[in-house]
Amino acid sequence: MEYMTSLCKEIIKKRKLILELAKADFKKRLAGSYFGVVWMFVQPVVTVLIYFLIFGPYGFKSAPPVPAPYVIWLVPGIVPWFFFSEALNAGTGCLQEYSYLVKKVVFPVEMLPIIKLLSCAMVHGFFLLIMCGLYFCYQWWPAVTWIQVIYYSFAAFMLALGLNYLTSSIQVFFKDMAQIVGIMLQFGMWMVPIMYDEGLFTARAPWIGIFFKLNPFYYIVAGYRDSMLTGNWFWERPTLTLYFWAVTAALFLLGLKVFKRLRPHFSDVL
């Protein structure tokens, strides 16, 4: 807890530096590209289009559990997943990417996963605007609960940050960690009911619903849909909320502990 307290103080103290480096990281993605920021959105938009064609009215005709078009139900589930998966993929290799900063004694290395996540959050902000624009196109007008996506984005940020402290520190010594994270994310996407209705499984075996909810990201997906579609607030899921933050806190403390233990050896290996 002492280390966590000092980390919070360091974040507050160096908040301007963190934001500047996050902006620089965001701009770096656009350097040397003719289409610049367009490439950040092409793959996710194409992914949404593919799932819409496969599971929507032109494919398997999956019916969402709410009275809404399939794409309106799909997007609030897949947008936070894009953020989470990009954050984990990018954050896992952040120490290697910024090895020149890691080797500087005066630089607080603990800030690097936060910087990388803030850079990903900037892209996520654009996707939230696109999601709202899509809802307007379907004449689905704003509700007061839409503001709640900020809370669920923060929840996804904290979950990814805890995991990134763990994966990025291991990646320095075990180079295959990035590939393992990529494979786990491929599995993870299908272990959360993002493209399909969980009722397809729980109707036959109710215990599968518990299995879904054990995945902490289930809370994020359900929360985005509660905010954008059904108008429910996060306190209406008290058990799931407490479970999510308990798991997130445990992962965060574990990640910080491993990071702190391995930190003295980063510069030697890099």
Side-chain angles (χ1 to χ4, degrees):
M1 290 300 293
E2 214 176 291
Y3 188 62
M4 190 172 177
T5 304
S6 63
L7 175 64
C8 292
K9 290 179 180 177
E10 195 72 22
I11 292 171
I12 295 169
K13 184 180 177 182
K14 295 203 165 51
R15 59 188 182 279
K16 290 184 179 178
L17 174 64
I18 292 170
L19 286 173
E20 287 302 317
L21 288 174
K23 289 177 186 176
D25 186 273
F26 177 78
K27 291 176 182 177
K28 188 173 69 174
R29 303 184 189 193
L30 314 180
S33 173
Y34 285 110
F35 294 101
V37 73
V38 174
W39 290 119
M40 290 187 183
F41 303 102
V42 168
Q43 184 178 357
V45 169
V46 169
T47 303
V48 171
L49 181 61
I50 290 171
Y51 288 137
F52 173 66
L53 293 174
I54 292 174
F55 295 101
Y58 307 105
F60 291 112
K61 298 183 179 180
S62 296
V66 293
Y70 176 77
V71 70
I72 288 294
W73 178 81
L74 170 68
V75 170
I78 207 167
V79 162
W81 180 260
F82 286 150
F83 168 57
F84 182 73
S85 59
E86 183 193 11
L88 270 187
N89 278 321
T92 297
C94 68
L95 297 181
Q96 284 185 312
E97 183 179 349
Y98 290 99
S99 58
Y100 60 92
L101 291 177
V102 175
K103 294 175 182 178
K104 288 187 176 181
V105 180
V106 294
F107 186 81
V109 182
E110 295 84 354
M111 301 299 114
L112 288 176
I114 298 173
I115 290 165
K116 186 59 77 171
L117 273 174
L118 284 174
S119 174
C120 296
M122 292 176 189
V123 179
H124 182 58
F126 283 110
F127 272 108
L128 291 180
L129 293 175
I130 292 171
M131 178 174 68
C132 293
L134 178 66
Y135 271 58
F136 292 149
C137 291
Y138 275 84
Q139 296 185 338
W140 201 282
W141 306 119
V144 66
T145 51
W146 281 23
I147 194 69
Q148 198 173 225
V149 298
I150 297 173
Y151 159 74
Y152 285 109
S153 295
F154 173 73
F157 184 99
M158 293 305 296
L159 178 62
L161 182 58
L163 290 170
N164 271 349
Y165 275 123
L166 181 65
T167 58
S168 62
S169 57
I170 295 174
Q171 168 72 11
V172 173
F173 305 92
F174 182 61
K175 307 302 181 188
D176 294 332
M177 191 68 208
Q179 282 70 32
I180 292 172
V181 168
I183 292 171
M184 292 302 294
L185 285 171
Q186 287 182 359
F187 278 107
M189 187 175 188
W190 293 99
M191 292 175 71
V192 184
I194 294 175
M195 274 78 66
Y196 56 87
D197 175 22
E198 62 186 278
L200 294 172
F201 298 93
T202 56
R204 300 178 183 179
W207 63 267
I208 296 180
I210 299 173
F211 172 76
F212 281 136
K213 291 174 183 177
L214 286 175
N215 184 338
F217 201 78
Y218 176 94
Y219 178 70
I220 307 295
V221 172
Y224 266 71
R225 286 174 174 155
D226 284 347
S227 304
M228 301 298 296
L229 287 170
T230 62
N232 297 109
W233 296 96
F234 72 90
W235 57 76
E236 295 179 50
R237 295 179 180 267
T239 305
L240 206 57
T241 299
L242 290 172
Y243 171 76
F244 171 83
W245 285 111
V247 171
T248 299
L251 288 172
F252 193 84
L253 290 173
L254 174 64
L256 270 180
K257 186 176 181 179
V258 173
F259 195 96
K260 181 183 178 183
R261 182 71 61 85
L262 299 178
R263 179 186 170 182
H265 309 289
F266 287 162
S267 56
D268 296 333
V269 177
L270 292 171

